[in-house]
Amino acid sequence: MANIRAAITGVGAYLPEYRLTNEEISKMVDTSDEWIMQRIGIKERRILKEEGKATSDMGARAVENLLEKTGTSPEEVDMLICATITPDMNLPATANIIAHKTNIHNAWSFDLNAACSGFIFSLSTATQFIESGRYKKVVIVAAEKMSSIINYEDRTTCPLFGDGAAAVLVEPSTEDVGVIDYINRVDGLGRHHLHIKAGGSLKPASEETVKNKEHYLYQEGQAVFKAAVSSMADVAAEIMEKHNISSEDVAWLVPHQANMRIIEATARRMGISKKQVMINIRKYGNTTAATIPLCLWDYEKQLKKGDNIILAAFGAGFTWGSTYLKWAYDSE
Ligand code: UT7
């Protein structure tokens, strides 16, 4: 019997309409378009402004878009994984809410919390269920309302992040396409450099924690920057070496979009030219788990069946990893 591979067979997305520009951020904190463009490379990010709307609303729109594009009915879906660090509520899982909102009733679902590595960790997880032959259709939806955990008085974090969602369908293939391999890593010591101090079991929310703004994302930018540059590049280079792939063999590098300088350093280390790199940080910022599938969605029309693609991510945890896959379809 031919080997079963887990292949991405469609991409959907949803982005809120509101564009938070550098000019607007410059009125909120002491910063400038020039600083943000030079040090990060972001021009604007999307923000979910509508009252009463949450991560699941963006996630559900992305899943609906995916199901429509791929001609999949909700009843066919076997499993749904939601990669997020901004769940609607601490419990239940946002995946369950998205499944409910999209009429996915014959599946089980769960959230996967790996911050910016959430999509690649979810893809590795989905791959196991597909390769084993157990499931035929797995939906991964990466959705983040980062604006709900960002302190817009903190200039060191507020220009970085944006809201958005993207979803992929993962199905079995016996052709030479799909996920070939992945390398995923974590280092819990990294938690000290990027976390939310309060609202968990260690420090439950109180009047005091809210007053101290401890319910917002806390980041030591430089420590995260250094770890991201070395870890993401190392693991991407490792997977290329393991599979004997040269930079010319790579059609696309899809790096997590946290900082243009990290993207460029990763590409340099892999010997990959900028035109082989998917980049959309300028218009969406860092949407955490959603950056990689949003890139796939943005570049979908340029992808060809059989293209060698390297995904690479780094995020809070620390978590990081790289996936090597062959693209499964021609878009047009
Ligand atoms: O996706 C999750 C993983 N996260 C990341 O990968 C983010 C990694 N980190 C970064 O991207 C960068 O560290 C930042 C963009 C967050 C910061 O850039 P940096 O080049 O590391 O700046 P820095 O923290 O070393 O700060 C340099 C200076 C400081 O001023 P002084 O102390 O030298 O006077 C900061 O106060 O820049 C100042 N600064 C700003 N100035 C204008 C920090 N933020 C701003 C700002 N506008 N928004």
Side-chain angles (χ1 to χ4, degrees), residues 9 63 66-80 99 102-108 130 134-139 169-172:
T9 54
V63 172
L66 172 75
L67 297 183
E68 196 192 317
K69 267 176 80 178
T70 56
T72 308
S73 79
E75 299 87 65
E76 292 177 275
V77 176
D78 299 304
M79 184 165 91
L80 180 140
T102 53
N103 297 314
I104 292 177
H105 298 308
N106 296 326
W108 60 292
I130 296 289
R134 177 125 198 165
Y135 292 139
K136 299 281 181 276
K137 290 184 194 291
V138 178
V139 169
L169 183 64
V170 187
E171 295 183 275

Side-chain angles (χ1 to χ4, degrees), residues 227-275:
V229 167
S230 61
S231 308
M232 207 159 96
D234 279 354
V235 85
E238 188 183 335
I239 210 160
M240 283 172 70
E241 277 157 32
K242 187 174 165 195
H243 291 273
N244 211 10
I245 323 167
S246 71
S247 53
E248 293 87 64
D249 301 326
V250 175
W252 294 101
L253 166 67
V254 194
H256 169 53
Q257 313 277 307
N259 186 314
M260 196 58 208
R261 290 180 291 144
I262 300 177
I263 295 172
E264 283 167 355
T266 306
R268 258 198 313 275
R269 166 78 203 282
M270 295 166 72
I272 283 181
S273 71
K274 214 168 160 188
K275 63 179 195 311

Side-chain angles (χ1 to χ4, degrees), residues 30-31 35 39-40 116 155-156 159-160 194 219 221-222 224-225 228 256 258-259 261-262 286 314-315:
D30 182 14
T31 191
W35 192 95
R39 306 304 296 168
I40 318 175
C116 305
R155 71 173 183 173
T156 69
L160 291 161
L194 181 49
Q219 175 170 252
Q222 274 196 15
V224 179
F225 185 94
H256 169 53
N259 186 314
R261 290 180 291 144
I262 300 177
N286 182 350
F314 181 90

Side-chain angles (χ1 to χ4, degrees), residues 52-315:
K53 295 286 181 198
T55 293
S56 69
D57 295 293
M58 292 186 289
R61 299 283 289 273
V63 172
E64 279 161 6
N65 178 234
L66 172 75
L67 297 183
E68 196 192 317
K69 267 176 80 178
T70 56
T72 308
S73 79
E75 299 87 65
E76 292 177 275
V77 176
D78 299 304
M79 184 165 91
L80 180 140
I81 307 172
C82 176
T84 190
I85 54 160
T86 49
D88 285 18
M89 304 173 233
N90 269 343
L91 81 146
T94 300
N96 303 356
I97 304 170
I98 293 174
H100 173 76
K101 288 182 175 171
T102 53
N103 297 314
I104 292 177
H105 298 308
N106 296 326
W108 60 292
S109 65
F110 55 90
D111 285 2
L112 195 150
N113 177 334
C116 305
S117 307
F119 177 75
I120 59 167
F121 281 24
S122 298
L123 183 59
S124 305
T125 307
T127 295
Q128 304 312 308
F129 287 93
I130 296 289
E131 283 181 352
S132 71
R134 177 125 198 165
Y135 292 139
K136 299 281 181 276
K137 290 184 194 291
V138 178
V139 169
I140 299 171
V141 52
E144 302 283 11
K145 187 179 168 184
M146 292 304 291
S147 59
S148 66
I149 55 166
I150 295 302
N151 177 2
Y152 287 95
E153 291 172 356
D154 174 9
R155 71 173 183 173
T156 69
T157 52
C158 77
L160 291 161
F161 297 95
D163 300 342
V168 302
L169 183 64
V170 187
E171 295 183 275
S173 173
T174 49
E175 295 183 71
D176 188 24
V177 294
V179 173
I180 312 289
D181 199 6
Y182 54 84
I183 301 171
N184 294 329
R185 303 262 191 269
V186 299
D187 177 3
L189 252 189
R191 70 188 182 280
H192 298 297
H193 304 297
L194 181 49
H195 57 259
I196 295 176
K197 293 188 186 300
S201 60
L202 179 66
K203 201 179 212 188
S206 67
E207 214 174 302
E208 173 113 11
T209 63
V210 173
K211 200 177 87 219
N212 294 337
K213 303 188 192 307
E214 291 176 321
H215 54 297
Y216 290 128
L217 180 139
Y218 167 86
Q219 175 170 252
E220 291 160 13
Q222 274 196 15
V224 179
F225 185 94
K226 278 186 203 139
V229 167
S230 61
S231 308
M232 207 159 96
D234 279 354
V235 85
E238 188 183 335
I239 210 160
M240 283 172 70
E241 277 157 32
K242 187 174 165 195
H243 291 273
N244 211 10
I245 323 167
S246 71
S247 53
E248 293 87 64
D249 301 326
V250 175
W252 294 101
L253 166 67
V254 194
H256 169 53
Q257 313 277 307
N259 186 314
M260 196 58 208
R261 290 180 291 144
I262 300 177
I263 295 172
E264 283 167 355
T266 306
R268 258 198 313 275
R269 166 78 203 282
M270 295 166 72
I272 283 181
S273 71
K274 214 168 160 188
K275 63 179 195 311
Q276 294 163 273
V277 186
M278 291 191 192
I279 301 169
N280 60 14
I281 185 170
R282 191 184 161 92
K283 47 185 186 173
Y284 308 137
N286 182 350
T287 54
T288 306
T291 62
I292 290 178
L294 275 175
C295 277
L296 295 173
W297 177 73
D298 254 353
Y299 283 76
E300 189 187 17
K301 286 195 171 62
Q302 297 181 53
L303 298 177
K304 292 185 203 66
K305 189 172 177 179
D307 274 355
N308 283 318
I309 298 184
I310 305 281
L311 315 179
F314 181 90

